[in-house]
């Protein structure tokens, strides 16, 4: 069923948040590659990627707006869930480092029982709210993993370990859910023998504003407590 791009009252706030970082950008609502059922509000695909003014570069570094892109690992996870909805069906799920909320929203669309989306960036939580609205699903938002209930069935992390300091999240994340699926295009090892590689896919960040092909290989790592 086509989604109504006007179905979130927060779209205006989201565009304002994007323009705090990139004043010349705007929000576009559209389907993801290969996923006609999932519409996201993201940065305009024709955003000019030439050299940015110094002041804008400063904004990008201070407030990077990762949420305005669907990263390759989030896209690959959503595409995988479209083919195998049983991974999330009737499960309590969390998307840690949700960004746009791509995995959280797709999990709910594919039949998850309850979905939490967690991100330390308040604008990512706003983006996830907008994207949940656009796809007419409910997702619970949190800025702190400690505030999310324990004993969940499944925890996703998609392209969060690009920042090596986030490896410390793994121990806490393992205690949150019986199963954990990490999708990452930036790393080929999580340095934890309790994880095993279970799947590979190829996907680039969308919209693709010139991401290098070297980041197209998405590796899925699984941890299970049984
Ligand atoms: C590269 S983006 C990926 C977003 C999304 N998962 C996707 O695939 O499109 C990483 C996200 O992780 C969030 N993040 C980074 N460190 C975090 C932390 N310690 N706890 C929760 N979120 C975090 C960032 O704010 C950002 O939104």
């Amino acid at each position: 069923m086509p989604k109504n791009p006007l179905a979130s009252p927060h779209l205006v706030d989201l565009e304002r948040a994007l323009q705090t970082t990139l004043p010349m950008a705007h929000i576009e609502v559209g389907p993801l590659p290969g996923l006609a059922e999932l519409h996201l509000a993201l940065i305009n695909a024709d955003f000019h990627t030439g050299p940015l003014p110094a002041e804008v570069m400063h904004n990008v570094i201070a407030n990077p707006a990762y949420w305005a892109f669907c990263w390759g690992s989030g896209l690959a996870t959503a595409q995988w869930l479209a083919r195998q909805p049983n991974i999330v069906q009737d499960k309590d799920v969390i998307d840690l480092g949700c960004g746009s909320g791509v995995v959280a929203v797709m999990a709910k669309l594919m039949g998850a029982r309850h979905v939490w989306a967690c991100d330390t960036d308040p604008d990512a939580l706003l983006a996830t709210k907008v994207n949940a609205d656009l796809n007419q699903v409910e997702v619970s938002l949190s800025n702190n993993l400690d505030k999310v209930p324990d004993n969940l069935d499944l925890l996703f992390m998609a392209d969060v370990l690009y920042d090596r300091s986030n490896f410390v999240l793994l121990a806490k994340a393992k205690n949150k859910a019986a199963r954990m699926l990490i999708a990452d295009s930036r790393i080929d090892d999580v340095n934890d023998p309790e994880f095993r590689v279970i799947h590979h896919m190829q996907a680039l960040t969308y919209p693709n504003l010139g991401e290098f092909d070297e980041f197209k290989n998405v590796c899925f790592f699984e941890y299970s407590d049984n």
Side-chain angles (χ1 to χ4, degrees):
M1 188 174 75
K3 303 293 186 300
N4 177 358
L6 300 176
S8 177
H10 306 291
L11 260 175
V12 172
D13 303 321
L14 194 64
E15 184 151 272
R16 197 175 298 128
L18 176 62
Q19 290 173 348
T20 303
T21 300
L22 293 167
M24 60 293 268
H26 64 268
I27 294 285
E28 274 179 5
V29 175
L32 292 181
L35 282 174
E37 64 271 59
L38 176 57
H39 282 53
L40 293 186
L42 300 170
I43 190 171
N44 52 302
D46 62 355
F47 180 77
H48 179 61
T49 54
L52 296 170
E55 190 186 310
V56 176
M57 274 314 295
H58 177 80
N59 293 346
V60 169
I61 291 163
N63 194 18
Y66 291 140
W67 54 267
F69 298 84
C70 172
W71 288 62
S73 298
L75 177 58
T77 305
Q79 291 174 338
W80 193 23
L81 293 181
R83 290 202 306 274
Q84 291 204 36
N86 58 304
I87 294 172
V88 291
Q89 262 163 5
D90 301 320
K91 305 249 183 347
D92 291 334
V93 172
I94 175 167
D95 177 12
L96 177 58
C98 59
S100 66
V102 52
V103 175
V105 173
M106 191 62 182
K108 192 64 190 166
L109 279 174
M110 292 298 104
R113 183 168 41 212
H114 196 111
V115 177
W116 282 264
C118 179
D119 204 293
T120 44
D121 179 350
D123 291 337
L125 297 180
L126 174 62
T128 300
K129 170 69 184 141
V130 166
N131 288 321
D133 288 350
L134 294 175
N135 291 279
Q136 297 155 31
V137 295
E138 297 253 334
V139 170
S140 298
L141 306 175
S142 177
N143 64 358
N144 185 342
L145 186 59
D146 291 335
K147 294 184 192 158
V148 174
D150 296 327
N151 302 319
L152 303 179
D153 298 304
L154 181 56
L155 183 146
F156 288 103
M157 279 174 83
D159 272 337
V160 178
L161 298 178
Y162 63 93
D163 181 347
R164 296 266 152 181
S165 67
N166 281 338
F167 272 74
V168 296
L169 282 174
L170 293 181
K172 195 186 276 190
K174 277 160 82 174
N175 288 327
K176 267 294 158 194
R179 187 181 186 209
M180 185 168 164
L181 288 174
I182 296 177
D184 216 290
S185 56
R186 265 67 181 166
I187 58 163
D188 52 19
D189 193 347
V190 292
N191 302 323
D192 180 333
E194 290 193 307
F195 284 87
R196 64 190 183 106
V197 174
I198 57 161
H199 194 49
H200 290 278
M201 288 177 68
Q202 292 197 333
L204 282 168
T205 293
Y206 182 82
N208 185 354
L209 302 185
E211 188 172 43
F212 296 121
D213 260 12
E214 69 180 284
F215 296 128
K216 74 179 178 202
N217 296 310
V218 179
C219 188
F220 287 83
F221 305 89
E222 179 193 49
Y223 161 82
S224 173
D225 70 3
N226 54 49

